[in-house]
Amino acid sequence: LYTIKFEDSIPLMGLSSSKSHVGGPTESPHSGIPVDPVPYTGPAIDYRVIEAKVTVSASFDGSVSSNVDDNMPLLAQQYAEYFQLGTFFRLPYQASRKGMMSAQLAYQGIFLRPT
């Protein structure tokens, strides 16, 4: 569990290209980041990222089930601190086997709240 706080805007990186000609490659001039005529005046946003492990079990009849009850206290705590769920998704390549018919999958949730 960790919290990230962004108070300033993050500048985006520009792209440049180079062209080859007889004398070799040359760099094209970069344009500056445009000045926003109406800057953002809203509140800063706090971000909180959590990781949850969910056990998924399969049965011989082909059905698959998961139990998210183990993670409910962690999720409820975020709402108790006035965070809202922005996204919740499965992390790729983050799975471990738990027996013959079950696996533990990793999920990540991103919560946010205005400060």
Side-chain angles (χ1 to χ4, degrees), residues 51-54 89-92 94-96 104-108:
E51 292 184 11
K53 303 284 186 184
V54 176
F89 56 92
R90 183 172 168 254
L91 296 173
Q94 300 289 320
S96 61
Q104 192 172 51
L105 306 176
Y107 285 80
Q108 187 175 69

Side-chain angles (χ1 to χ4, degrees), residues 20-106:
S20 295
H21 63 333
V22 177
T26 61
E27 293 185 20
S28 62
H30 290 275
S31 61
I33 296 175
V35 177
D36 191 356
V38 183
Y40 176 71
T41 58
I45 303 292
D46 284 340
Y47 290 89
R48 182 170 288 175
V49 179
I50 62 151
E51 292 184 11
K53 303 284 186 184
V54 176
T55 301
V56 178
S57 301
S59 64
F60 288 108
D61 65 0
S63 63
V64 178
S65 64
S66 62
N67 184 2
V68 295
D69 293 339
D70 296 339
N71 294 305
M72 290 310 288
L74 177 63
L75 298 173
Q77 178 63 33
Q78 311 315 310
Y79 286 101
E81 295 179 27
Y82 302 104
F83 280 91
Q84 295 177 339
L85 182 62
T87 185
F88 192 78
F89 56 92
R90 183 172 168 254
L91 296 173
Y93 311 111
Q94 300 289 320
S96 61
R97 220 166 237 266
K98 292 191 70 167
M100 186 173 183
M101 300 292 283
S102 65
Q104 192 172 51
L105 306 176

Side-chain angles (χ1 to χ4, degrees), residues 7-22:
E7 293 187 3
D8 297 326
S9 62
I10 300 171
L12 299 175
M13 297 183 68
L15 299 175
S16 67
S17 62
S18 60
K19 297 180 181 179
S20 295
H21 63 333
V22 177

